[in-house]
């Protein structure tokens, strides 16, 4: 390899030649040759140049580069190549990542993070590098609270290598074109290869310089034991974080699963919330106190409190609390009733606050508002109303009073939920009142903020009192009057078929109308006291009417049974035929005796009885029909209904009777002339 040591070996002309003397002679010569562009150096290797290569070297050295380009390249090597884009430091004892700004020679690398930690590198490229002696570095780090200052060792090769790299890179980009000669293309390719090697050497060089750098923080130099860049930076940042976050210890507990903790807090029941309130009142934890104080100061200054800004405030110095650890505190303050959470102008309920608190992108939209306290007048007004409605003395304290109201309303809702299924069937009264009562109670119960709950409770005083009155009536009905209501409904169903007959009776008709009014009344509760008397009055008339119809209908069936029995006796019919003919009529008679519907009794006695009677006659006739003789046909049967022959609704004179009898007689004789058998209906 064409390096200095091998050149020294090449120049030895005797066994005991002085290698050190030779090296001291050769190195200045190599520098002169390089300045005259006769040779080219790539790291510790030297190469002779052709005429074309000498020309390219001369042009490269004349390439102008911006002064900021050198620091830009150094920052790129440090922060991108060596640190791999690292922007946060993980401090294991706190289980938290801390962002830091990256600065090289006063140039910020990447986006500046306000109020965050910083890693500031001072290199030999810095304009005042030589002025950064230890005493000044101590003072500089004291003024740069939160920054780790890394002063790189002085290495002249760093400056020259960076400049050559930048000049070569720019030259290659400017000269590369399709029109370049093949020889130039070959030279440019070789120089590009050399420059890539140079970049690798620069990265190794800077990595070593960082590991050997002098580190300062908080006004003093740091004793670093690490041997690699990652180790020394970890040590420096660990020292900085441990000392710069002086209020980290105020955080009373660090949760391993803060997201899970936040959800559990927001989903806690009333008992858990009450316990949280009492715990804070007995001994407010230091982290809760710090958070609450910050909110109160902002509120006093009429400054909006954005959730993301609050989280950032406690993530920076002097706290250093993890973002989600801060949100846990917010969730506790929210559930204890000390603050309200607002999203898009709407105050959130606990179940609706889960996403805004657990999803980082939503933090910038969430606002925190300090809870407002009730006036003495509002408190007294609510206590008086609550005692009147719920029957016991309401407690003092805004949260306790709100919870007392919430508990009382919840009991109302529970009572209504038990009776609602019956009312929803439509067979029981109070559906609208139950729905209105539940709507009124639930509209208050769902208000999470105790101040707003009590204020709304006072504002809806008249509505709530009306609801209380409705609830009293409903409870009394479903507890004491439900059986009476069911008696009324059952009676109306029983009387309904006989309505036309019943309304002809003056007393029964009026009673039926009153019963209908009670059943259709929106609030029938005060009328139910009359139900038993009304039902009894109608029941008496109904029973009498039914008995009359039963007696008449039964007699009609008996007549038909008698006729069939006589016919069977005339034919000396067997028992099987007798049973077959009489059984249906006897069954109709039984149905009439157990039937309560007057229309149905009439149907049994008129239509069904007549039909069964005719069927019995036909059955007997078929059983005793004489044998047919040749050419002989059975006489047809003609049914005559005398009632159809009358022309007047009523027979009122002797002439009316004679006229009717004559018409019946004429119809009968006429039938006989036609050689038919007559059946009278």
């Amino acid at each position: 390899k064409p390096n200095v040591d091998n050149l020294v070996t090449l120049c030895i002309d005797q066994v005991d030649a002085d290698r050190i003397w030779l090296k001291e002679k050769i190195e200045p010569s190599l520098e002169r040759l390089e300045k005259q562009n006769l040779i080219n150096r790539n790291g510790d290797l030297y190469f002779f140049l052709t005429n074309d290569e000498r020309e390219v070297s001369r042009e490269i050295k004349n390439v102008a580069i911006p002064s900021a380009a050198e620091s830009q390249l150094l920052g790129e090597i440090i922060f991108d190549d060596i640190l791999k884009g690292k922007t946060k430091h993980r401090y294991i004892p706190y289980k938290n990542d801390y962002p830091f700004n990256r600065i090289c020679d006063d140039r910020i690398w990447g986006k500046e993070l306000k109020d965050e930690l910083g890693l500031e590198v001072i290199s030999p490229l810095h304009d005042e590098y030589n002025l950064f002696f230890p005493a000044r570095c101590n003072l500089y780090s004291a003024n740069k609270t939160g920054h780790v200052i890394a002063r790189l060792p002085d290495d002249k090769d760093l400056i020259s290598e960076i400049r050559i790299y930048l000049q070569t890179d720019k030259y290659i980009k400017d000269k590369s074109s399709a029109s370049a000669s093949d020889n130039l293309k070959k030279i440019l390719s070789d120089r590009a290869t050399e420059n890539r090697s140079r970049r690798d050497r620069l990265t190794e060089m800077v990595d070593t310089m960082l590991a050997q750098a002098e580190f300062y923080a908080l006004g003093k130099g740091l004793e670093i034991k690490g041997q690699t860049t990652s180790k020394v930076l970890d040590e420096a940042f660990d020292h900085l974080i441990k000392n710069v976050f002086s209020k980290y210890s105020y955080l009373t507990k660090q949760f391993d699963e803060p997201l899970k903790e936040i959800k559990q807090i927001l989903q806690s029941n009333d008992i858990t919330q009450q316990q949280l309130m009492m715990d804070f009142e007995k001994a407010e934890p230091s982290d809760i106190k710090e958070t609450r104080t910050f909110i109160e100061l902002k509120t006093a200054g009429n400054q909006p409190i954005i959730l993301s800004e609050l989280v950032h405030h406690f993530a920076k110095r002097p706290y250093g609390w993890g973002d989600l650890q801060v949100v846990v505190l917010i969730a506790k303050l929210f559930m204890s009733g000390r603050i309200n959470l607002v999203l898009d102008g709407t105050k959130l309920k606990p179940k609706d606050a889960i996403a805004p608190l657990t999803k980082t992108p939503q933090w910038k939209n969430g606002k925190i508002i300090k809870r407002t306290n009730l006036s003495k007048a509002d408190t007294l007004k609510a206590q008086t109303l609550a005692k009147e409605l719920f029957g016991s003395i309401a407690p003092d304290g805004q949260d306790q009073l709100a919870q007392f109201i919430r508990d009382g309303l919840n009991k109302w809702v529970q009572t209504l939920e038990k009776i609602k299924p019956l009312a929803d069937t439509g067979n029981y009264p109070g559906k609208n009142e139950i729905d209105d009562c539940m709507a009124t109670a639930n509209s208050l119960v769902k208000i999470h903020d105790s101040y707003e709950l009590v204020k709304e409770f006072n504002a809806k005083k008249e509505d709530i009192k009306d609801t209380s009155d409705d609830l009293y009536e409903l409870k009394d009905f479903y507890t004491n009057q439900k059986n009476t209501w069911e008696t009324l409904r059952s009676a109306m169903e029983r009387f309904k078929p006989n309505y036309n007959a019943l309304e002809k009776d003056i007393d029964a008709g009026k009673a039926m109308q009153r019963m209908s009014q009670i059943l259709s009344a929106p609030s029938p509760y005060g009328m139910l006291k009359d139900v038993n008397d009304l039902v009894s009055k109608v029941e008496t008339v109904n029973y009498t009417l039914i008995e009359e119809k039963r007696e008449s209908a039964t007699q009609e069936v008996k007549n038909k049974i008698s006729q069939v029995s006589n016919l069977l006796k005339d034919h000396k019919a067997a028992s099987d035929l007798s049973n077959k003919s009489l059984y249906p009529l006897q069954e109709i008679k039984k149905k009439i005796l157990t039937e309560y519907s007057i229309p149905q009794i009439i149907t049994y006695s008129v239509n069904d009885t007549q039909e069964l009677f005719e069927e019995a006659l036909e059955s007997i006739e078929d059983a005793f029909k004489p044998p047919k003789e040749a050419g002989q046909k059975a006489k047809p049967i003609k049914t005559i209904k005398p009632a159809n022959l009358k022309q007047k609704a009523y027979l009122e004179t002797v002439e009316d009777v004679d006229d009717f009898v004559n018409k019946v007689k004429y119809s009968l004789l006429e039938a006989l002339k036609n050689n038919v058998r007559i059946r009278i209906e």
Side-chain angles (χ1 to χ4, degrees):
K1 293 182 178 181
N3 55 30
V4 174
D5 289 337
N6 287 341
L7 288 173
V8 170
T9 301
L10 183 64
C11 294
I12 290 177
D13 57 354
Q14 55 188 6
V15 177
D16 58 350
D18 187 347
R19 291 180 62 86
I20 296 176
W21 181 83
L22 280 173
K23 187 174 183 180
E24 290 176 350
K25 294 292 184 181
I26 290 173
E27 285 182 335
S29 299
L30 290 172
E31 290 181 9
R32 287 193 300 274
L33 290 170
E34 187 179 5
K35 288 179 180 179
Q36 296 170 12
N37 296 317
L38 295 172
I39 64 173
N40 183 49
R41 178 174 64 86
N42 187 8
D44 61 349
L45 304 181
Y46 296 86
F47 303 93
F48 279 109
L49 299 175
T50 65
N51 289 336
D52 290 341
E53 289 173 337
R54 288 174 60 191
E55 182 61 26
V56 168
S57 293
R58 190 162 38 250
E59 290 179 355
I60 287 175
K61 289 181 180 178
N62 290 327
V63 170
I65 56 173
S67 58
E70 295 173 340
S71 294
Q72 172 72 17
L73 176 60
L74 180 59
E76 188 177 310
I77 291 171
I78 294 173
F79 300 123
D80 291 346
D81 297 350
I82 298 174
L83 298 184
K84 308 299 182 185
K86 180 179 179 181
T87 60
K88 294 180 179 180
H89 176 70
R90 179 74 173 180
Y91 187 53
I92 296 176
Y94 293 171
K95 300 178 184 178
N96 194 31
D97 294 321
Y98 292 95
F100 59 84
N101 286 295
R102 299 168 296 169
I103 305 166
C104 179
D105 294 334
D106 298 331
R107 177 187 175 88
I108 296 176
W109 192 258
K111 183 180 179 180
E112 182 178 9
L113 305 174
K114 188 178 180 182
D115 299 323
E116 299 293 355
L117 306 179
L119 170 61
E120 187 168 349
V121 177
I122 298 172
S123 78
L125 293 172
H126 196 289
D127 293 338
E128 298 181 353
Y129 175 78
N130 293 328
L131 298 178
F132 277 92
F133 46 84
R136 185 184 176 188
C137 287
N138 287 337
L139 180 62
Y140 187 77
S141 68
N143 294 329
K144 291 273 188 173
T145 306
H147 281 208
V148 168
I149 311 299
R151 182 182 185 276
L152 300 184
D154 190 5
D155 190 331
K156 301 302 181 185
D157 288 342
L158 173 68
I159 299 174
S160 63
E161 285 291 300
I162 285 178
R163 176 166 288 276
I164 293 172
Y165 175 85
L166 291 171
Q167 289 175 319
T168 303
D169 184 64
K170 187 174 188 304
Y171 181 84
I172 293 171
K173 289 177 181 177
D174 292 344
K175 294 295 183 180
S176 295
S177 67
S179 61
S181 66
D182 292 342
N183 186 40
L184 179 58
K185 289 179 180 178
K186 175 66 169 58
I187 294 172
L188 292 177
S189 176
D190 291 342
R191 289 302 173 93
T193 301
E194 291 176 6
N195 225 29
R196 284 193 292 273
S197 299
R198 183 174 289 110
R199 176 65 178 257
D200 292 340
R201 289 197 309 277
L202 274 170
T203 301
E204 293 177 3
M205 181 188 305
V206 175
D207 193 6
T208 301
M209 293 172 73
L210 276 170
Q212 297 173 352
E214 298 172 359
F215 285 89
Y216 300 86
L218 303 174
K220 66 177 183 178
L222 306 180
E223 295 183 6
I224 304 296
K225 298 178 181 179
Q227 300 298 316
T228 64
T229 298
S230 62
K231 293 290 185 183
V232 297
L233 288 180
D234 284 347
E235 281 190 50
F237 271 118
D238 283 355
H239 173 83
L240 179 69
I241 290 169
K242 185 168 58 176
N243 289 279
V244 80
F245 294 122
S246 57
K247 289 189 176 182
Y248 183 86
S249 60
Y250 286 24
L251 191 64
T252 55
K253 183 176 181 180
Q254 182 163 275
F255 296 94
D256 294 331
E257 297 181 274
L259 283 174
K260 182 179 180 181
E261 184 67 22
I262 292 167
K263 291 177 181 177
Q264 286 180 345
I265 293 170
L266 295 176
Q267 293 171 345
S268 58
N269 55 30
D270 294 341
I271 297 175
T272 306
Q273 291 181 46
Q274 287 294 320
Q275 187 61 48
L276 196 63
M277 295 176 190
M278 290 189 290
D279 290 345
F280 286 177
E281 289 174 0
K282 288 179 182 176
E284 189 175 42
S286 55
D287 47 8
I288 290 291
K289 182 178 180 180
E290 286 289 316
T291 310
R292 178 184 56 77
T293 301
F294 175 79
I295 292 171
E296 290 177 352
L297 289 173
K298 284 278 188 179
T299 302
N302 291 322
Q303 297 177 343
I305 308 170
I306 309 301
L307 179 57
S308 59
E309 294 176 358
L310 183 143
V311 169
H312 179 66
H313 173 79
F314 287 100
K316 66 182 184 181
R317 302 185 299 276
Y319 299 98
W321 300 345
D323 291 354
L324 288 172
Q325 305 295 337
V326 177
V327 178
V328 170
L329 303 176
I330 295 299
K332 288 183 176 181
L333 284 169
F334 175 55
M335 292 305 288
S336 68
R338 298 192 174 194
I339 62 171
N340 291 315
L341 295 176
V342 178
L343 186 66
D344 297 328
T346 302
K347 289 183 179 179
L348 298 177
K349 292 184 262 184
K351 65 177 182 179
D352 298 326
I354 293 177
L357 288 186
T358 57
K359 294 182 179 179
T360 307
Q362 295 195 30
W363 290 354
K364 64 179 180 296
N365 299 321
K367 290 185 178 180
I368 297 170
I369 300 176
K370 184 178 179 294
R371 191 185 66 165
T372 309
N373 292 320
L374 291 167
S375 66
K376 290 184 178 180
D378 284 335
T379 301
L380 182 59
K381 182 179 178 181
Q383 286 176 320
T384 303
L385 179 58
K387 180 182 178 182
E388 178 183 346
L389 296 175
F390 307 130
S392 57
I393 298 175
D396 294 323
Q398 182 168 309
D399 295 324
Q400 293 83 349
L401 175 57
Q403 191 59 45
F404 179 81
I405 294 170
R406 192 178 287 111
D407 291 342
L409 294 173
N410 275 326
K411 288 179 181 178
W412 284 11
V413 173
Q414 291 168 7
T415 299
L416 292 167
E417 285 176 341
K418 291 178 181 178
I419 62 178
K420 181 174 169 58
L422 282 177
D424 286 344
T425 65
N427 296 326
Y428 294 82
K431 174 175 169 44
N432 292 336
E433 289 85 349
I434 290 172
D435 291 342
D436 291 344
C437 288
M438 292 185 70
T440 300
N442 284 324
S443 68
L444 292 166
V445 169
K446 70 181 182 181
I447 300 175
H448 172 69
D449 182 69
S450 59
Y451 172 81
E452 291 189 0
L453 171 59
V454 176
K455 290 288 285 186
E456 189 69 7
F457 182 70
N458 286 337
K460 289 187 174 181
K461 176 180 178 180
E462 296 305 320
D463 289 344
I464 298 171
K465 291 178 73 173
D466 290 343
T467 298
S468 178
D469 294 339
D470 289 341
L471 180 64
Y472 176 81
E473 286 188 333
L474 289 166
K475 285 173 64 177
D476 183 61
F477 172 82
Y478 283 94
T479 303
N480 303 317
Q481 297 181 313
K482 178 169 161 287
N483 291 338
T484 303
W485 177 265
E486 290 172 346
T487 298
L488 175 62
R489 288 191 68 251
S490 176
M492 282 299 289
E493 287 296 316
R494 192 167 67 255
F495 299 151
K496 187 176 180 181
N498 305 336
Y499 186 82
N500 290 335
L502 288 167
E503 69 176 351
K504 294 176 183 178
D505 183 276
I506 297 176
D507 292 338
K510 290 182 178 179
M512 287 282 286
Q513 289 180 358
R514 181 58 175 169
M515 290 165 66
S516 296
Q517 289 174 355
I518 295 173
L519 282 175
S520 60
S523 301
Y525 318 112
M527 309 180 202
L528 292 176
K529 64 182 184 300
D530 301 329
V531 166
N532 290 333
D533 289 341
L534 293 169
V535 171
S536 177
K537 187 177 294 184
V538 178
E539 192 75 75
T540 300
V541 177
N542 188 56
Y543 177 79
T544 302
L545 292 174
I546 291 173
E547 285 300 309
E548 290 175 355
K549 292 298 180 183
R550 279 178 182 168
E551 183 177 352
S552 174
T554 303
Q555 188 59 48
E556 181 67 25
V557 177
K558 286 180 179 180
N559 291 337
K560 294 291 190 289
I561 291 174
S562 177
Q563 293 180 46
V564 173
S565 297
N566 291 334
L567 186 58
L568 289 168
K569 288 178 182 179
D570 291 343
H571 288 290
K572 298 180 180 180
S575 58
D576 289 344
L577 179 60
S578 296
N579 291 336
K580 180 181 177 183
S581 302
L582 294 172
Y583 180 76
L585 291 168
Q586 291 168 342
E587 285 299 307
I588 281 290
K589 179 182 174 184
K590 289 181 181 178
K591 288 183 178 179
I592 291 172
L593 293 174
T594 58
E595 180 59 52
Y596 287 90
S597 169
I598 293 175
Q600 186 61 50
I601 292 173
I602 294 172
T603 299
Y604 285 152
S605 66
V606 178
N607 299 334
D608 295 352
T609 299
Q610 184 62 33
E611 183 178 344
L612 293 173
F613 175 68
E614 291 180 359
E615 289 176 357
L617 294 180
E618 290 177 1
S619 177
I620 296 170
E621 181 180 344
D622 290 341
F624 296 101
K625 186 181 296 182
K628 292 183 179 180
E629 297 179 3
Q632 186 179 4
K633 294 182 179 179
K635 284 184 178 183
I637 298 173
K638 181 176 182 179
T639 301
I640 294 177
K641 298 180 179 180
N644 292 341
L645 300 175
K646 64 180 181 179
Q647 292 181 332
K648 292 184 176 181
Y650 302 97
L651 302 179
E652 299 178 302
T653 65
V654 174
E655 287 78 8
D656 291 341
V657 173
D658 289 341
D659 185 54
F660 175 70
V661 170
N662 289 333
K663 285 183 179 179
V664 173
K665 181 179 180 180
Y666 174 80
S667 296
L668 294 173
L669 294 174
E670 189 68 23
L672 291 176
K673 287 180 183 180
N674 294 327
N675 198 28
V676 298
R677 289 184 293 168
I678 302 170
R679 177 184 297 161
I680 303 296
E681 263 188 36

